[in-house]
Amino acid sequence: MIRKYGKRLASGLLAASLVVVAGCNSIGGVDVNKALTNTVKVKSSESSTNIAIQLIPSASATDAQKAALELVGNMSIQLSGKKEDEKNASYAGELKTHRGAVPFQVYIDGEKTAIEVDGAKKPITFNLGQILLKSLIKESGENPSIVQTLLPTISGPIMEKSSELLPLLVDYIVGNAKVNPKTLTVTAVTEKVQEESLSLNKLHTEVSGTEAAELIQKLVVSIAADEAGLQKFLGGVYDVVAPELLKDKKLNPLIKTVLENKETAVKFLSGTVKGLINGAVVQLNNSLKESKMFTDQMYIKADMYLDSDLLTRKTAIEAMIPIAKGADKGLSAIKVTATSESWNLNKPVKADKLKGSGPTLEIGGNGWGKLLNASKIISNFDKKSIAYKLLREDLQLTKKRIQMIMDKLAGKDPGKSGKPYIKDGITLVPVRFISENLDAEVEWDGKLKQVTIIDDLSEAKIVLTIGSKTALVNGKSEQLEVAAIITGESTYVPVRFIAEKLGAKVGWDDSTRTVSIERD
């Protein structure tokens, strides 16, 4: 249930973040923009955070829908953090669910992030910088092969200098915040942070979904038109990152030539980034027009508590994200509340470290496939653990539903269109299509003319030889209805055999000529 509405939840939380900066100019003698910039300049601190997610049933929800929402609809996360510097941090947390609590720890050590979760067979590790950059460039439509070459070079310096780069980004964004939210107040208050009473300024804002959409649109339009601000931002990025990149003796000669001249580098980057921004503006405007979320039923309430140095010491956010009728399935809205407080800002703090040097599950990888493979992650957990049951049964992260319509061309242009087709009454599909849509990995051995499919979730390993009706499934021979064949530029395999060996069910609707594949 939560998985289904994850994008709406993420969009709502992103909106809450953007609203905070979309129009917060100086008010009541408090320079809000400076406060936002100061927050990301903090080099070390300790913190505590509490996040709660509530799924609110609609008035028309059935008893069964209410029961399902109650099971997965009340979750909370408690998190204690230690930020040692821009490279090292650790967080100890606990996810509370109807099944019980799931303790976890997060360790950030340079570019590497490691997560230990109760019930996991081994820690999960990933390169956060590369994953973020991959996601950004992939969404922009840039050439993955070029990015693959650059990622190892640029991700390190970017993550290492994040404490210097984030203020530049915030300055660029808040510099384009021209309009304040209608409700924005500052009040002097006394609040406790870790039992210490502090004199703080409470910045309070309330924004409806309709107003949030207007503020975000004005912000992104201003950013897109701000060429001088973009040049300044990229110039600052160059000053921070370029010296580090130029130290690399293995740096691509072409990249080195561009980076050796700041004006040339900034001009080159400016054109690329400008294109990304303009594309993002168009996508955002289209999303806001199509979205049924940004209505007056949506609201965001946020409180920031600032000290005399304009550093954020406490926050409290409440967001209500409505679900459009017709897509609700008994759900009326998602409510998120979050509170946090920080202390020991810019003082000596020691982060915890991951103990031991045993094997880890590395995700993100170097390939340009899926950045996060849900099945691979879930298979890393003990099947009896709370985390496994939560991820697979409640959040249904491995649930798949694939539909393929066999149109008039099916069987008439086998392989040429890359679409599924029917041969001798058997539906054939590209092996990568069926395998990767079910989170399995595909390997090709050109010498042996063999395709190997490996699925961590079902623990199946399938070996197919081109032209042979005999397949090996976990080392045992089984017969295929039709041999795997190479047609056009794709390797085609019988869909039912592969899907069922990967734990899925295959159906056929003759009236619509549709093949359906489902897996829980």
Side-chain angles (χ1 to χ4, degrees):
M1 182 67 73
I2 289 180
R3 175 178 180 264
K4 181 173 183 178
Y5 298 103
K7 288 188 177 180
R8 291 188 177 92
L9 177 58
S11 299
L13 295 178
L14 175 60
S17 302
L18 287 175
V19 164
V20 171
V21 300
C24 293
N25 296 299
S26 181
I27 182 171
V30 176
D31 188 339
V32 182
N33 287 351
K34 185 176 180 181
L36 292 170
T37 304
N38 285 352
T39 297
V40 296
K41 285 183 177 179
V42 172
K43 295 185 179 298
S44 62
S45 66
E46 292 187 68
S47 62
S48 66
T49 303
N50 291 281
I51 303 171
I53 300 173
Q54 181 182 2
L55 303 186
I56 302 174
S58 63
S60 59
T62 65
D63 290 340
Q65 288 173 332
K66 290 178 180 178
L69 290 174
E70 187 175 347
L71 280 179
V72 299
N74 294 284
M75 294 186 180
S76 64
I77 299 174
Q78 295 179 337
L79 201 63
S80 297
K82 298 177 183 178
K83 181 182 178 183
E84 185 173 333
D85 52 38
E86 61 267 19
K87 297 181 183 179
N88 300 279
S90 63
Y91 301 89
E94 188 174 73
L95 172 65
K96 293 185 177 180
T97 74
H98 73 99
R99 291 185 180 276
V102 181
F104 64 91
Q105 292 80 35
V106 180
Y107 308 94
I108 300 174
D109 186 355
E111 292 185 70
K112 284 288 184 181
T113 297
I115 303 177
E116 288 184 313
V117 184
D118 188 53
K121 301 170 186 175
K122 48 190 174 182
I124 300 168
T125 60
F126 52 91
N127 185 315
L128 181 59
Q130 289 196 19
I131 285 181
L132 291 176
L133 287 170
K134 279 183 181 180
S135 300
L136 175 64
I137 303 299
K138 189 175 183 180
E139 287 297 319
S140 73
E142 290 294 317
N143 190 331
S145 62
I146 295 175
V147 180
Q148 283 293 91
T149 302
L150 292 177
L151 274 176
T153 304
I154 64 178
S155 64
I158 286 178
M159 291 301 291
E160 184 175 335
K161 298 291 183 177
S162 60
S163 62
E164 297 176 56
L165 292 173
L166 278 175
L168 295 174
L169 179 60
V170 172
D171 278 339
Y172 176 43
I173 294 175
V174 300
N176 284 284
K178 308 297 184 183
V179 182
N180 282 339
K182 295 174 183 177
T183 300
L184 182 63
T185 61
V186 173
T187 308
V189 298
T190 299
E191 288 283 330
K192 282 189 175 183
V193 176
Q194 282 299 101
E195 302 305 317
E196 178 186 3
S197 293
L198 301 174
S199 296
L200 305 170
N201 281 314
K202 176 184 175 182
L203 173 70
H204 175 76
T205 184
E206 294 184 22
V207 182
S208 69
T210 303
E211 186 184 358
E214 293 173 356
L215 288 171
I216 293 170
Q217 282 182 313
K218 289 177 181 178
L219 175 64
V220 296
V221 168
S222 179
I223 289 174
D226 184 14
E227 293 191 14
L230 178 60
Q231 295 281 332
K232 181 181 178 182
F233 167 64
L234 293 176
V237 172
Y238 177 92
D239 291 338
V240 173
V241 177
E244 297 299 317
L245 291 175
L246 289 170
K247 291 178 184 178
D248 186 355
K249 295 181 179 179
K250 297 180 180 180
L251 186 65
N252 183 293
L254 179 60
I255 299 174
K256 183 178 180 181
T257 301
V258 173
L259 289 178
E260 284 177 336
N261 184 287
K262 180 177 180 179
E263 184 178 351
T264 301
V266 171
K267 185 177 180 180
F268 173 78
L269 287 173
S270 180
T272 302
V273 175
K274 184 73 174 177
L276 295 178
I277 292 174
N278 289 336
V281 170
V282 172
Q283 288 186 1
L284 179 61
N285 285 335
N286 290 337
S287 296
L288 290 174
K289 289 178 183 178
E290 296 172 2
S291 174
K292 298 179 180 180
M293 179 176 67
F294 289 89
T295 65
D296 287 337
Q297 282 69 50
M298 174 185 177
Y299 69 78
I300 303 161
K301 300 177 182 178
D303 293 324
M304 293 176 61
Y305 296 82
L306 309 173
D307 64 16
S308 58
D309 294 321
L310 293 181
L311 294 172
T312 303
R313 305 302 301 272
K314 295 183 70 173
T315 62
I317 297 174
E318 179 181 313
M320 184 70 76
I321 305 165
I323 304 300
K325 291 182 178 179
D328 57 327
K329 301 297 183 182
L331 180 63
S332 170
I334 304 173
K335 182 179 181 181
V336 181
T337 55
T339 59
S340 69
E341 58 181 54
S342 302
W343 61 98
N344 284 339
L345 277 67
N346 295 319
K347 294 181 179 180
V349 174
K350 192 68 175 176
D352 298 324
K353 299 291 184 181
L354 177 65
K355 297 178 181 179
S357 56
T360 65
L361 171 64
E362 186 168 359
I363 60 175
N366 295 318
W368 198 261
K370 294 183 179 180
L371 296 178
L372 298 177
N373 186 317
S375 296
K376 183 177 287 292
I377 293 173
I378 291 175
S379 65
N380 184 47
F381 287 88
D382 186 317
K383 292 182 179 180
K384 295 181 180 180
S385 68
I386 293 175
Y388 180 90
K389 294 176 181 178
L390 176 69
L391 294 171
R392 185 158 195 191
E393 297 176 18
D394 295 342
L395 301 186
Q396 299 182 331
L397 293 186
T398 59
K399 189 175 182 65
K400 303 286 184 179
R401 180 172 175 79
I402 307 164
Q403 289 188 315
M404 300 175 294
I405 298 176
M406 309 302 292
D407 58 23
K408 295 179 180 179
L409 294 176
K412 295 182 179 180
D413 71 333
K416 294 179 181 179
S417 64
K419 296 180 180 179
Y421 70 96
I422 299 173
K423 179 182 179 182
D424 299 332
I426 306 300
T427 302
L428 299 177
V429 297
V431 65
R432 288 197 180 276
F433 173 83
I434 180 63
S435 301
E436 293 181 355
N437 270 283
L438 291 174
D439 288 341
E441 296 180 352
V442 180
E443 298 175 355
W444 167 252
D445 188 324
K447 292 182 179 180
L448 298 177
K449 298 291 184 182
Q450 287 185 336
V451 175
T452 301
I453 303 168
I454 302 171
D455 180 40
D456 292 309
L457 192 66
S458 63
E459 300 180 345
K461 181 178 179 180
I462 307 168
V463 181
L464 306 172
T465 302
I466 302 302
S468 172
K469 287 188 175 183
T470 301
L472 290 177
V473 181
N474 293 336
K476 296 182 180 180
S477 296
E478 294 195 27
Q479 293 303 301
L480 298 168
E481 299 166 294
V482 176
I485 60 173
I486 296 177
T487 309
E489 297 181 355
S490 301
T491 298
Y492 279 75
V493 295
V495 62
R496 182 178 296 276
F497 181 88
I498 301 299
E500 290 180 351
K501 295 305 176 185
L502 297 181
K505 296 180 181 179
V506 180
W508 168 257
D509 187 330
D510 194 55
S511 63
T512 60
R513 292 180 58 80
T514 300
V515 177
S516 61
I517 303 169
E518 294 187 20
R519 186 178 75 177
D520 291 331

